[in-house]
Amino acid sequence: SVPEMSVTAAYPLASTISAVRPAWFSGSRSSSQSRCDMPAATNSSGMNRARTWSYDQITAESALRICTALSTICCKAALCLVILLTLTACATTATGPLKTDLPVILVDTSGELYDLVLTANPVYDTIRATSDVSVTSSDEDYNVTELILGMRPGFLRLESLGPLGDTVLFLTTDQKRVYIYSPFENRFYTGLASKKNLSLLIPIPFSATDIVELLQGRVDLTDYYPIQMTYDELKQSYTLTLMPKTTKRGRAVLTVDGRTFLILEMMLYDTAGNLILIGSFSRFEEIGERTIPTTLDFEVPEGGSFLDVRIKHSEVRLDSYIEESRFELEPPRGVQEIDLDKSIIDFDRTPIK
């Protein structure tokens, strides 16, 4: 037997166990009650020998056994947790944009680089994702979890989730109109799919077609042609300057990884040469044979400052079938209908915080 004090010193939990011992172990006891008779043990000669254990010995022995058992269980649980985390990490392949085990590919012309970037950064027909969207500017600051559906050329649906995981806001566009339904406010907003109204869905001043592409961390490069390239040996990346094939767009400047040719950064300009968007992309994830960034940081110039939009995708699915009807909304009976094009509204992007 081990004295109770030594058990408590070795296993701090023993003091707790001792504090909640059964009631029949507590209170004053006579000398005849201070010892508990245990079943007799048999010695080698076959004769029974009386064996008595003191209360303190029983408490110490029990505490030692319980603590030893709990320690074993905790060790096994920790081992199982390590194994589980290892298996989980293996199930999702998330990589950085730079694969250091690959050599840098030297490119001689901007046309050759353009072809490599075009191949490495295709725009997929659909995207589904659960995304954390945070927006910060001089006059607003919010963070919301969105269920995002995007389909080319310009279909978009966002469902904003509340604290309990229920949908508190529906936002859709079918390329022609924007529909917003707020069950919390009992209001249904609708208007033309203008850049102003689309910014209520994602505060980036682009068309729905462009937004579906930007949610994948890229733009349709077939709308551009290359005019210039440079190589940064220190960063091991290329800078590719593109000009638009139509007068509806301005130039684009891309920074791409010298090993994978994935787009790391893009700067987009309007037709007058003004910077309208900076996009930075990281946390690249391999989904089957497809690779896209799952963290997207956008900076939109606003006067003398920037509006910052960060989108962190999870549970991403690409090129899965989505019914076109998912991008249509009808106003429920009894809601207040508001025309976005005829009203000046103070739209609450996060009705429930």
Side-chain angles (χ1 to χ4, degrees), residues 153 195 206-215 218-219 249:
K195 292 181 180 179
F206 285 83
S207 68
T209 300
D210 294 329
I211 292 175
V212 172
E213 297 172 2
L214 289 170
L215 286 173
R218 55 204 59 184
V219 294
R249 296 178 179 269

Side-chain angles (χ1 to χ4, degrees), residues 47-322:
M47 298 178 62
N48 289 342
R49 54 183 176 84
R51 184 179 182 187
T52 57
W53 287 24
S54 71
Y55 154 75
D56 288 340
Q57 289 173 322
I58 293 172
T59 302
E61 190 76 17
S62 300
L64 179 60
R65 290 178 179 177
I66 292 173
C67 291
T68 303
L70 288 175
S71 299
T72 303
I73 292 172
C74 290
C75 291
K76 290 182 177 180
L79 179 60
C80 292
L81 180 60
V82 171
I83 295 173
L84 178 61
L85 292 175
T86 302
L87 293 175
T88 302
C90 294
T92 302
T93 304
T95 62
L98 298 179
K99 295 185 177 181
T100 56
D101 57 332
L102 298 177
V104 172
I105 300 176
L106 298 179
V107 178
D108 295 325
T109 67
S110 60
E112 182 183 356
L113 178 60
Y114 171 80
D115 290 338
L116 292 169
V117 175
L118 183 65
T119 301
N121 300 271
V123 179
Y124 301 106
D125 289 335
T126 66
I127 179 173
R128 297 173 181 254
T130 301
S131 308
D132 290 328
V133 180
S134 60
V135 178
T136 305
S137 69
S138 57
D139 57 357
E140 65 179 340
D141 186 355
Y142 68 83
N143 186 293
V144 62
T145 299
E146 304 276 12
L147 300 181
I148 295 179
L149 298 180
M151 183 171 72
R152 299 185 73 190
F155 297 92
L156 193 61
R157 179 186 180 102
L158 284 75
E159 297 183 11
S160 304
L161 302 183
L164 301 179
D166 53 331
T167 303
V168 298
L169 203 62
F170 298 85
L171 309 96
T172 69
T173 179
D174 58 2
Q175 299 186 85
K176 299 177 182 179
R177 298 190 66 81
V178 169
Y179 308 94
I180 302 173
Y181 171 48
S182 173
F184 178 75
E185 299 175 336
N186 197 34
R187 292 178 178 176
F188 188 89
Y189 304 85
T190 184
L192 296 175
S194 61
K195 292 181 180 179
K196 168 183 168 291
N197 291 337
L198 285 169
S199 67
L200 297 174
L201 280 69
I202 296 288
I204 299 175
F206 285 83
S207 68
T209 300
D210 294 329
I211 292 175
V212 172
E213 297 172 2
L214 289 170
L215 286 173
Q216 302 178 33
R218 55 204 59 184
V219 294
D220 189 352
L221 297 178
T222 60
D223 294 333
Y224 296 88
Y225 63 91
I227 61 169
Q228 185 180 0
M229 61 159 277
T230 59
Y231 176 66
D232 188 324
E233 186 173 359
L234 181 63
K235 296 181 178 179
Q236 296 183 328
S237 62
Y238 291 95
T239 299
L240 178 64
T241 303
L242 306 171
M243 292 300 292
K245 295 179 180 179
T246 68
T247 57
K248 295 181 180 180
R249 296 178 179 269
R251 78 179 188 275
V253 180
L254 310 179
T255 301
V256 300
D257 176 38
R259 298 177 173 85
T260 63
F261 300 103
L262 295 170
I263 299 174
L264 308 179
E265 183 179 276
M266 67 170 62
M267 302 175 68
L268 302 180
Y269 298 80
D270 62 17
T271 55
N274 301 309
L275 178 66
I276 56 176
L277 183 75
I278 301 174
S280 301
F281 312 113
S282 59
R283 206 165 60 95
F284 286 74
E285 185 172 330
E286 295 178 358
I287 304 171
E289 297 180 353
R290 305 171 176 90
T291 302
I292 69 165
T294 56
T295 296
L296 304 87
D297 291 291
F298 297 104
E299 295 179 83
V300 181
E302 279 191 339
S305 60
F306 284 89
L307 181 146
D308 297 320
V309 181
R310 163 165 281 199
I311 302 173
K312 298 181 70 174
H313 291 317
S314 62
E315 302 175 18
V316 181
R317 294 171 61 188
L318 300 171
D319 281 346
S320 62
Y321 175 73
I322 303 176

